[in-house]
Amino acid sequence: MKFANMKYERLEFEATNEKLKALLLQFKEAKTAAEAFSIYKEVDTFSQHIDSMIMLAYIRNSLDMNDKFYSDEKDYLDELEPKLNEVVKEFQAAFIKTPFRKDFEAAWGTLIFDKAKMELKTFKPEIVADLQEENRLVTEYDKLIASAEIEFDGKTLTLAQLTPYHEDTDRSVRDASMRARAEWFMGHSARLDSLFDELVKLRTKIAKTLGYENYIELGYYRMERLSYDREMVGKFREGVLNFIVDIVKRLKAEQAERIGVDTLKVFDDPFEYPDGNAKPMGTAEDIFAHGQKMYHELSADTAEFIDFMLENDLFDVLTRPGKMSGGYCATISNYKAPFIFANFNGTSGDIDVLTHEAGHAFAAYLARDLYPSILREYTFESAEVHSMSMEFFTWPWMKGFFGGQTEKYCYSHLAGALNFIPYGTMVDDFQHQIYANPELSPAERNALWLKLEGKYRPYLDLAGFPFYGEGRRWQAQAHIYGMPFYYIDYCLAQTMALYFWAAAQKDHASAWEKYCHFTKLAGTKTFIGLLTASGLPTPFEPETLKTIADTAVDWLNSVKK
């Protein structure tokens, strides 16, 4: 079914809650394993319907945040979800205690019970109002960012539309465009400070109500981390400092020399070549035409997938006023349909949409028939392995997007993957320190970010530049407001994506086969369980970081810059 024809209907609280309660009672009273399995199937089907309605409202709201109907529905669902949580958690508790647990484990494994136990650690009825308020604050942040209108170059631009100017060959244009961006954020700094302050205090309150010392432990449970803990993440951050930061510092020094500047200012950072960064050729239609060809040639599975996406209008990529910033992939369970949201801006990032977000969508497509639906729900860092690795597996087709600039694009892409890891790790370090010290003032938070910039990105000259020089860059990172502790998932996944890239340089077919094996396992195992089952190393081993960094540097050194 085409996206426009997917039917949305409001989930009325009373009716939805009553149906869930009735199913819960039936499950508790099941007399046989067969009866318990049958009722579970009803619960699973109804849960997918609930999720689909929430997702449709979210997508349509993000497509136009000025659309009153879906804006109101999003606000309504922000309040509904926490209220429904009580009966959902009651079902999870009943599921754990079912006398037919051995039958369920024999059919589906033990992981679904481990997930249910972890979910129960994130909720009590007393926090419903706080969860509603958390949703409201995050939605307010999204709406604020989406509302940005910046006067530049004689035009009124969104943040996405301003982005190409940050890569202009004229340094004065880069400087001016970045200052225009900074000025918009500075003009809203008071509300950005107060929003985050409210979120930190609220999340800390929720954590304490649930019996935790601070939000960090709760944050890990919310992120469903069953196979690693904060100590392992801390060791990963140490590995980044030991093996990646100096490499990136050298790459950035080479970039500064290449573009002819003494020090790399914040407005120089996105600009990599004196004649301009690699840009995709043609229109959005041209990009999608080659993208379809690319996925037809990559494999039979990707051919079937891309045809399904295009035939059902499951992409919305053109930027426009009122559209939410950023990009994402979501899945509408009722239709077994992934949906890709993005904001094309004429940079190489447009191609990343067709590789990164399509990597997410491809994984969802491969998992669409797994039952129960919880087995389709891979962990967050696994999801990012799907997407970031797809970026590299599609390298052989980049010439169709970039023509004579292909080598330039590949160099920037690989160097950018290394560059990203310290930044993403810095975001994680920042959040650990923020939630360990929730009483920090806005000024102290900015000072902390500025200190971490010097630790993880020492090559960047921020002095005297508004917004960035004051340590406010983090306010433009939506994940910090909306999904605490998510960002390290990108770094773990980038490490594994670089592993797949290195393997593909030797044997593309073999690496692709291993990637598909990893991806098709979906949510049947923990993150480390997936890696082990696929014959892959883990990113927590120092040797993994060192190996991928050395291999990438060797390739970068071999390429004409």
Side-chain angles (χ1 to χ4, degrees), residues 75-318:
D75 291 343
Y76 168 75
L77 291 167
D78 280 350
E79 294 200 359
L80 176 75
E81 277 189 274
K83 289 197 292 184
L84 290 178
N85 242 333
E86 186 170 353
V87 66
V88 170
K89 295 299 184 284
E90 284 183 48
F91 180 81
Q92 289 171 329
F95 184 58
I96 289 169
K97 296 174 184 175
T98 178
F100 309 109
R101 178 164 173 169
K102 293 289 185 187
D103 300 277
F104 280 102
E105 288 182 342
W108 299 333
T110 61
L111 183 59
I112 55 174
F113 290 96
D114 294 335
K115 286 184 174 182
K117 282 191 283 188
M118 181 168 282
E119 281 282 319
L120 289 172
K121 293 179 178 181
T122 68
F123 183 80
K124 283 181 181 177
E126 302 94 287
I127 67 170
V128 166
D130 291 330
L131 294 175
Q132 292 172 326
E133 178 63 5
E134 183 182 13
N135 285 343
R136 187 192 70 76
L137 292 169
V138 172
T139 297
E140 184 181 340
Y141 172 84
D142 288 339
K143 287 180 177 179
L144 178 60
I145 300 300
S147 74
E149 292 185 342
I150 300 169
E151 299 300 321
F152 192 80
D153 193 25
K155 304 168 189 171
T156 301
L157 305 172
T158 64
L159 289 168
Q161 291 169 332
L162 184 65
T163 300
Y165 292 97
H166 304 336
E167 298 183 6
D168 198 277
T169 54
D170 186 332
R171 197 183 193 203
S172 66
V173 172
R174 298 199 302 274
D175 185 351
S177 69
M178 198 71 86
R179 288 181 189 278
R181 174 186 172 88
E183 284 167 11
W184 184 88
F185 276 98
M186 289 299 290
H188 295 83
S189 60
R191 187 55 186 144
L192 288 167
D193 279 335
S194 63
L195 265 175
F196 191 64
D197 203 56
E198 291 174 65
L199 280 165
V200 170
K201 288 178 170 54
L202 184 61
R203 287 170 178 150
T204 300
K205 178 189 172 190
I206 291 170
K208 289 184 180 295
T209 301
L210 293 172
Y212 303 116
E213 179 184 357
N214 56 43
Y215 179 75
I216 298 173
E217 187 175 3
L218 174 59
Y220 272 60
Y221 289 145
R222 281 183 166 188
M223 293 303 295
E224 300 177 1
R225 291 183 178 148
L226 283 162
S227 59
Y228 62 94
D229 55 25
R230 59 193 290 191
E231 284 72 28
M232 294 169 73
V233 170
K235 288 188 186 304
F236 177 82
R237 291 199 302 265
E238 288 177 20
V240 171
L241 289 168
N242 290 334
F243 300 117
I244 307 294
V245 170
D246 282 347
I247 289 172
V248 173
K249 187 177 179 181
R250 179 176 66 76
L251 290 173
K252 286 296 180 179
E254 291 175 0
Q255 177 184 336
E257 183 179 357
R258 192 163 61 242
I259 65 175
V261 298
D262 294 330
T263 59
L264 208 62
K265 296 284 189 180
V266 65
F267 52 83
D268 293 317
D269 192 36
F271 183 66
E272 301 181 73
Y273 293 91
D275 60 343
N277 293 0
K279 288 182 172 58
M281 306 177 295
T283 63
E285 289 76 16
D286 296 328
I287 288 171
F288 275 94
H290 182 63
Q292 188 169 24
K293 178 178 183 290
M294 173 178 77
Y295 283 120
H296 270 258
E297 294 175 358
L298 178 55
S299 76
D301 284 336
T302 51
E304 181 184 296
F305 151 74
I306 196 65
D307 288 347
F308 175 82
M309 295 291 290
L310 292 172
E311 287 166 9
N312 292 289
D313 300 334
L314 295 168
F315 286 91
D316 190 297
V317 302
L318 300 180

Side-chain angles (χ1 to χ4, degrees), residues 199-476:
L199 280 165
V200 170
K201 288 178 170 54
L202 184 61
R203 287 170 178 150
T204 300
K205 178 189 172 190
I206 291 170
K208 289 184 180 295
T209 301
L210 293 172
Y212 303 116
E213 179 184 357
N214 56 43
Y215 179 75
I216 298 173
E217 187 175 3
L218 174 59
Y220 272 60
Y221 289 145
R222 281 183 166 188
M223 293 303 295
E224 300 177 1
R225 291 183 178 148
L226 283 162
S227 59
Y228 62 94
D229 55 25
R230 59 193 290 191
E231 284 72 28
M232 294 169 73
V233 170
K235 288 188 186 304
F236 177 82
R237 291 199 302 265
E238 288 177 20
V240 171
L241 289 168
N242 290 334
F243 300 117
I244 307 294
V245 170
D246 282 347
I247 289 172
V248 173
K249 187 177 179 181
R250 179 176 66 76
L251 290 173
K252 286 296 180 179
E254 291 175 0
Q255 177 184 336
E257 183 179 357
R258 192 163 61 242
I259 65 175
V261 298
D262 294 330
T263 59
L264 208 62
K265 296 284 189 180
V266 65
F267 52 83
D268 293 317
D269 192 36
F271 183 66
E272 301 181 73
Y273 293 91
D275 60 343
N277 293 0
K279 288 182 172 58
M281 306 177 295
T283 63
E285 289 76 16
D286 296 328
I287 288 171
F288 275 94
H290 182 63
Q292 188 169 24
K293 178 178 183 290
M294 173 178 77
Y295 283 120
H296 270 258
E297 294 175 358
L298 178 55
S299 76
D301 284 336
T302 51
E304 181 184 296
F305 151 74
I306 196 65
D307 288 347
F308 175 82
M309 295 291 290
L310 292 172
E311 287 166 9
N312 292 289
D313 300 334
L314 295 168
F315 286 91
D316 190 297
V317 302
L318 300 180
T319 187
R320 54 187 175 270
K323 187 176 181 180
M324 193 174 82
S325 183
Y328 63 76
C329 174
T331 300
I332 307 153
S333 302
N334 279 358
Y335 303 96
K336 298 182 179 180
F339 183 89
I340 291 176
F341 170 98
N343 285 274
F344 271 20
N345 56 27
T347 70
S348 63
D350 296 352
I351 307 308
D352 296 338
V353 170
L354 207 55
T355 57
H356 181 101
E357 299 303 345
H360 286 308
F362 178 59
Y365 187 77
L366 288 179
R368 67 195 183 281
D369 292 322
L370 278 176
Y371 178 80
S373 62
I374 193 170
L375 298 182
R376 303 173 204 159
E377 297 173 10
Y378 30 73
T379 56
F380 292 105
E381 62 290 288
S382 303
E384 299 305 337
V385 174
H386 302 153
S387 58
M388 289 176 158
S389 300
M390 184 66 86
E391 294 177 31
F392 288 114
F393 277 115
T394 51
W395 263 24
W397 290 270
M398 287 302 109
K399 191 168 185 179
F401 295 118
F402 294 99
Q405 301 181 83
T406 301
E407 188 174 88
K408 186 193 289 188
Y409 166 78
C410 290
Y411 181 92
S412 296
H413 183 204
L414 184 59
L418 290 172
N419 297 346
F420 171 78
I421 293 176
Y423 171 75
T425 308
M426 173 172 67
V427 170
D428 183 70
D429 198 341
F430 178 72
Q431 292 188 107
H432 275 84
Q433 295 193 53
I434 289 296
Y435 286 104
N437 302 282
E439 73 289 346
L440 291 180
S441 68
E444 288 171 326
R445 288 178 190 137
N446 295 340
L448 170 61
W449 179 267
L450 206 54
K451 179 181 177 182
L452 293 174
E453 285 274 16
K455 181 178 178 181
Y456 288 96
R457 303 203 297 176
Y459 59 83
L460 204 53
D461 182 1
L462 304 172
F465 203 91
F467 183 63
Y468 298 90
E470 296 175 23
R472 292 181 175 274
R473 166 65 182 84
W474 61 271
Q475 293 181 330

